[in-house]
Amino acid sequence: MTRINGFVGRRNLLKLAGIGGAGIAASAVKSGLLLNGEEAKAQTTPTKTEKRPRPVSPDEALKKLLRGNERFVAGKRANPNQSQLRLLETSVAQYPYASILGCADSRVPAEIVFDQGLGDLFVVRVAGNVASQTAIGSLEFSSAVLGSQLIIVLGHAKCGAVIAAVKGDPLPGRIGIFVEEIKPAVESVRQKTGDLEKNSIIANIQYQVKKLPETSTILGNLVKEGKLKIVGGVYDLASGKVTLVT
Ligand SMILES: [Zn+2]
């Protein structure tokens, strides 16, 4: 697959999606790809290619993320890519090397816990880190269009959304919508020995990791082609450490 400045070409995007047709391509560009004039220009101007950051493989992306988390845990954050220059660079285009599907919990801000900066991470946060339809769409965009080669589903200890799914009580408003998306994971470990809450938090991460390529043809095909890796991690609120669980 060819990438222009980190972007998968339109034809390849359709191939990934398992669909074809110029009409779909035109509407995808028109409506969904969110390219402003400068970004579109950056994609098609060959002279810009040399300025593109070196592509990061899925494995390198994971190592880079985990190294950032180690710095955070050790209290040695480097706060990379937060200069005025970086601000200017990223105002032209973005090439995030990794995507995060994390919980909206105020204690788990992705850029801080992974010690990253502007334009590094494409972050989707929703209570319970669920692979909802809109979350999947956002991750398809970051992976197939922006060229991010890693997705980490990041759950955490004491997740209120998972605890609500474990309890199963009726919930007001639309709170129940994301809780429903966690329940299959909880049910899969309800009979398991040990702490149901802890088991459910891990099971939910693993369930959402599995769900992404299964329900998204675009993500599934990228994984098959070795262009994308999807992993799960659990964040410890006290130590700040991320531990892989897939
Ligand atoms: Zn949470």
Side-chain angles (χ1 to χ4, degrees):
M1 175 171 302
T2 53
R3 281 165 190 263
I4 306 161
N5 279 4
F7 293 80
V8 174
R10 259 188 289 157
R11 193 175 300 161
N12 284 323
L13 181 63
L14 294 173
K15 204 170 84 187
L16 282 169
I19 53 177
I24 296 167
S27 64
V29 168
K30 217 171 165 185
S31 64
L33 302 187
L34 306 176
L35 303 176
N36 62 32
E38 284 174 334
E39 282 172 339
K41 205 171 146 196
Q43 276 188 78
T44 51
T45 308
T47 51
K48 298 262 181 184
T49 308
E50 61 205 51
K51 290 187 181 173
R52 194 200 155 196
R54 207 159 49 90
V56 175
S57 74
D59 287 332
E60 283 170 351
L62 183 57
K63 278 185 200 156
K64 196 172 167 179
L65 261 190
L66 295 177
R67 274 199 303 269
N69 179 246
E70 280 167 20
R71 290 195 299 274
F72 173 69
V73 171
K76 293 178 178 170
R77 283 168 61 197
N79 300 315
N81 294 332
Q82 293 170 33
S83 66
Q84 290 296 311
L85 178 64
R86 181 65 168 180
L87 195 61
L88 281 175
E89 280 174 3
T90 52
S91 70
V92 179
Q94 60 167 329
Y95 309 106
Y97 72 88
S99 305
I100 316 285
L101 174 55
C103 183
D105 193 294
S106 65
R107 299 165 291 183
V108 199
E111 281 87 353
I112 296 177
V113 306
F114 287 115
D115 192 23
Q116 302 296 309
L118 297 166
D120 290 331
L121 305 178
F122 190 97
V123 182
V124 181
R125 287 177 67 183
V126 58
N129 41 274
V130 296
S132 65
Q133 290 300 304
T134 44
I136 291 172
S138 300
L139 293 167
E140 287 177 343
F141 176 71
S142 68
S143 306
V145 181
L146 299 180
S148 159
Q149 298 197 46
L150 175 77
I151 295 173
I152 178 163
V153 177
L154 187 64
H156 65 98
K158 299 189 174 69
C159 181
V162 176
I163 293 168
V166 169
K167 286 183 182 162
D169 295 337
L171 294 160
R174 294 173 194 178
I175 298 174
I177 295 174
F178 61 80
V179 172
E180 282 304 314
E181 303 207 45
I182 300 170
K183 282 184 178 171
V186 173
E187 293 317 311
S188 74
V189 292
R190 206 174 271 285
Q191 306 306 325
K192 200 176 162 184
T193 53
D195 185 310
L196 178 60
E197 185 186 310
K198 282 182 187 164
N199 289 342
S200 297
I201 283 161
I202 304 295
N204 180 47
I205 296 164
Q206 292 165 339
Y207 173 72
Q208 309 300 340
V209 165
K210 200 162 164 269
K211 192 174 167 185
L212 286 173
E214 279 180 4
T215 55
S216 163
T217 310
I218 289 179
L219 297 179
N221 286 346
L222 282 172
V223 169
K224 271 184 219 149
E225 291 175 8
K227 305 275 185 193
L228 175 70
K229 191 167 188 163
I230 306 177
V231 300
V234 64
Y235 177 78
D236 184 89
L237 290 176
S239 69
K241 189 174 165 50
V242 172
T243 305
L244 295 181
V245 294
T246 54

